[in-house]
Amino acid sequence: MRDLHDLQKQLGYTFRDPAYLDAALTHTSYAFAHNCSGYERLEFLGDSVVGYYAARKLFERYPDADEGALTEMRKKLVSQSALAGVSRDQGYGAYLRKAGIRVEDKQLCDIFEALVGAICLDGGLAQAEAFLDRRIGAMTANARELPSKDYKTLIKEAHDDCGDKLDYDCKPADGQWQCRLMRGDRTLAQASGSSKKHAEQACAKALWEQETRDGRNATE
């Protein structure tokens, strides 16, 4: 059973109209089956708010960066994998009402953007930006170091074509996250990072580069 009261504590925001929160956590599959509102319109709004937030923060933080560099950093900051990683770390997917679908990066990113849209409509742009400060504000400080390629997506697409089921086994150790990329009981790659998300990306990058050297991947 979803406890949206606990979720609001986690979000750091209490909705005046809980219908916005409910819609932000309702997938099309459930909305269609139960004749209720889903998150698509809220996601549309949230996507624009996140884009504006990222552009403004990067503009302020990197006064020496030209338009091209700012665009590249914004692209990394608001990518599907980056926002899905925040949703995954915060456990937002557990609150999604759905019917017959798997919750993957696309849905996790949608949830994050829909929540931003819901907060914006319920409390205004300032509240939405305060939420983004808490969730992705720190990422703007490291935008230049964020991976320029989404290796997790590249690896997933390459292995989906072969029917492979891959899993990331990550554990904190000595102030770092240690990650193994597994297929069944077999370890395909290992890497570490300052966060779970960075360790997973590093692991995926290691496997991608190994398979590129072996000739498995057609392009890098």
Side-chain angles (χ1 to χ4, degrees):
M1 180 72 68
R2 304 187 312 163
D3 188 337
L4 298 186
H5 179 70
D6 283 350
L7 175 60
Q8 289 178 91
K9 288 183 179 178
Q10 183 183 349
L11 295 174
Y13 179 78
T14 300
F15 281 82
R16 294 177 294 181
D17 185 352
Y20 286 126
L21 178 59
D22 208 47
L25 297 167
T26 301
H27 187 263
T28 311
S29 59
Y30 185 96
F32 180 79
H34 294 83
N35 193 28
C36 61
S37 297
Y39 62 47
E40 291 87 355
R41 286 170 56 83
L42 291 172
E43 175 208 343
F44 167 78
L45 176 61
D47 175 68
S48 295
V49 175
V50 172
Y52 160 72
Y53 171 88
R56 184 170 65 83
K57 288 293 184 179
L58 293 170
F59 184 88
E60 293 170 353
R61 188 176 291 274
Y62 299 101
D64 60 325
D66 61 19
E67 178 189 7
L70 290 171
T71 298
E72 185 62 27
M73 286 189 283
R74 181 182 61 185
K75 186 189 306 181
K76 294 187 287 184
L77 191 62
V78 304
S79 69
Q80 177 176 293
S81 63
L83 299 184
V86 176
S87 276
R88 184 178 295 106
D89 291 345
Q90 297 296 318
Y92 297 154
Y95 296 91
L96 181 65
R97 296 194 296 182
K98 56 187 174 51
I101 66 158
R102 289 181 58 185
V103 178
E104 299 185 335
D105 276 10
K106 171 66 168 65
Q107 290 74 37
L108 291 171
C109 178
D110 290 348
I111 293 168
F112 184 86
E113 292 176 338
L115 285 169
V116 172
I119 293 171
C120 186
L121 287 178
D122 189 74
L125 182 60
Q127 289 289 348
E129 290 192 272
F131 170 73
L132 288 168
D133 276 338
R134 293 190 293 274
R135 291 294 170 261
I136 66 171
M139 292 166 61
T140 65
N142 302 308
R144 280 182 168 141
E145 285 70 49
L146 290 174
S148 59
K149 294 186 179 180
D150 181 2
Y151 288 100
K152 283 186 68 176
T153 297
L154 291 173
I155 283 294
K156 183 179 185 302
E157 290 174 349
H159 284 259
D160 276 352
D161 291 342
C162 304
D164 290 343
K165 175 67 169 65
L166 302 181
D167 293 298
Y168 292 86
D169 178 24
C170 295
K171 295 182 175 63
D174 300 325
Q176 290 272 304
W177 281 83
Q178 305 295 327
C179 183
R180 295 188 301 162
L181 182 47
M182 312 287 294
R183 181 172 59 214
D185 295 331
R186 182 184 172 196
T187 300
L188 301 180
Q190 299 184 69
S192 62
S194 58
S195 68
K196 183 171 181 273
K197 179 179 63 180
H198 289 163
E200 288 177 346
Q201 279 286 353
C203 221
K205 179 182 179 182
L207 180 58
W208 177 263
E209 292 178 342
Q210 172 188 318
E211 292 182 343
T212 298
R213 287 193 299 271
D214 294 344
R216 173 166 176 168
N217 302 314
T219 60
E220 189 169 345

